[in-house]
Amino acid sequence: MTTLKKDLIRQFAAMTSLETMKDSRLVLLTPAGMIVGTAIPKEEADPNVASMTKVTSELARGYYKENRLPTDAPLENNDGFFMLKNVLLQSGGTTAQIPFLVVFFDQVIAVSIIGGE
């Protein structure tokens, strides 16, 4: 069973891929600050982002395999992760542009969507 927070984040991310919301971005509040980014579709057009997505997924599968865990095994203190592209990270007075970011579900405090700007 998934957590409510995880499900809401996934649903908000999915909404940003709808044609009527295609210019929207996901907004996440975390202990590190605010993260604004775009959910990565399964068929990512940018080869660099697609490559990082593939590598990240393979590393996660490798972790499970190396530790002899079923890929769907729940791990203590691990609610999983998701990936964003074209990320803006605002923390304190600093703003950073990041092309690709792995976000762990357990670090998200709040989620929203903003229109394309």
Side-chain angles (χ1 to χ4, degrees):
M1 183 168 131
T2 187
T3 64
L4 175 59
K5 176 170 53 172
K6 191 174 186 177
D7 191 57
L8 285 172
I9 294 167
R10 285 179 170 164
Q11 295 298 328
F12 274 60
M15 284 191 287
T16 64
S17 66
L18 297 173
E19 184 62 30
T20 56
M21 296 183 74
K22 66 181 179 184
D23 294 327
S24 299
R25 298 180 59 159
L26 204 56
V27 178
L28 306 166
L29 297 181
T30 73
M34 183 172 70
I35 298 170
V36 180
T38 304
I40 300 173
K42 290 193 184 291
E43 300 299 323
E44 173 56 44
D46 181 331
N48 293 325
V49 173
S51 176
M52 287 303 300
T53 301
K54 182 179 179 185
V55 167
T56 302
S57 296
E58 288 174 0
L59 289 170
R61 279 192 293 279
Y63 174 86
Y64 276 82
K65 184 177 181 180
E66 183 178 309
N67 291 284
R68 297 185 181 112
L69 299 167
T71 55
D72 60 348
L75 301 176
E76 186 175 328
N77 298 320
N78 176 26
D79 198 20
F81 64 89
F82 59 101
M83 297 169 268
L84 298 174
K85 66 179 182 177
N86 304 325
V87 176
L88 177 72
L89 173 61
Q90 295 178 327
S91 182
T94 304
T95 299
Q97 295 278 119
I98 305 169
F100 174 85
L101 185 68
V102 175
V103 181
F104 293 90
F105 282 107
D106 66 345
Q107 293 300 305
V108 177
I109 298 168
V111 62
S112 188
I113 296 174
I114 60 171
E117 297 171 11

